[in-house]
Amino acid sequence: MGEGEMVSASARYLAPSAPGDAWEAEAAAAGRRGTQKVVRAGEVAALDRVADLLGVERGGQVVERRRIMYLDGEPCELTDTYYPVGIARGTGLAGTAKIRGGAVRLLAELGHVGVRAQEDVVARMPSGSERAALSLKDGEPVLELTRLTLDAAGRPIQADVMVMPSRGQRLRYEIRIG
């Protein structure tokens, strides 16, 4: 791992058995401090892209949980997580309080366990609000990682859209063959 580089392996964020805060643990393993702030949570009208991912009607209601992730006190990722209202309405997923054991553990306790995830990563230029929130320089691109988590029946249970500066990022994927 190079100077200032964080390696993110998605699997640790998908397992309900992972103890505590996965982001905090990932940063600590690299000798850094990872924190997060929930800036908004609750029911919202689904953007077309989110509706398509979760298989709900465009403009229909979903539960959104919007966070800013910090590394050593500096903003390093914008994470928007969406859930079908039938799963998240009235739960801790719809609130701004920290979820003891994490959202994946709460989902499992509610009977929704992810068994498969699909991820897409694109490089793009940030919006003005993304640039400001992440303290980016003009002309600095971001990586956008979109993750859809599905249960054993193939039903979407969670969609994440994460935006991060491209500098210092390395995404690691391990694939079992056969």
Side-chain angles (χ1 to χ4, degrees), residues 48-63:
D48 289 353
R49 172 181 175 191
V50 171
D52 292 347
L53 285 167
L54 291 177
V56 301
E57 182 179 327
R58 288 183 175 201
Q61 293 293 291
V62 294
V63 169

Side-chain angles (χ1 to χ4, degrees), residues 8-66:
S8 180
S10 297
R12 69 176 54 105
Y13 295 95
L14 299 170
S17 59
D21 184 315
W23 168 238
E24 188 177 308
E26 178 180 351
R32 318 265 316 257
R33 186 173 53 92
T35 57
Q36 59 182 292
K37 177 183 176 186
V38 179
V39 294
R40 186 171 78 209
E43 292 187 32
V44 298
L47 301 170
D48 289 353
R49 172 181 175 191
V50 171
D52 292 347
L53 285 167
L54 291 177
V56 301
E57 182 179 327
R58 288 183 175 201
Q61 293 293 291
V62 294
V63 169
E64 173 190 63
R65 191 168 172 85
R66 180 165 278 195

Side-chain angles (χ1 to χ4, degrees), residues 29-109:
R32 318 265 316 257
R33 186 173 53 92
T35 57
Q36 59 182 292
K37 177 183 176 186
V38 179
V39 294
R40 186 171 78 209
E43 292 187 32
V44 298
L47 301 170
D48 289 353
R49 172 181 175 191
V50 171
D52 292 347
L53 285 167
L54 291 177
V56 301
E57 182 179 327
R58 288 183 175 201
Q61 293 293 291
V62 294
V63 169
E64 173 190 63
R65 191 168 172 85
R66 180 165 278 195
R67 295 169 289 151
I68 301 176
M69 313 305 277
Y70 296 89
L71 185 60
D72 298 331
E74 298 295 321
C76 65
E77 181 177 295
L78 307 176
T79 302
D80 296 341
T81 303
Y82 303 92
Y83 306 93
V85 292
I87 290 175
R89 180 181 275 156
T91 72
L93 299 168
T96 58
K98 186 169 183 168
I99 298 171
R100 190 179 62 76
V104 174
R105 180 169 289 173
L106 177 56
L107 277 172
E109 290 171 2

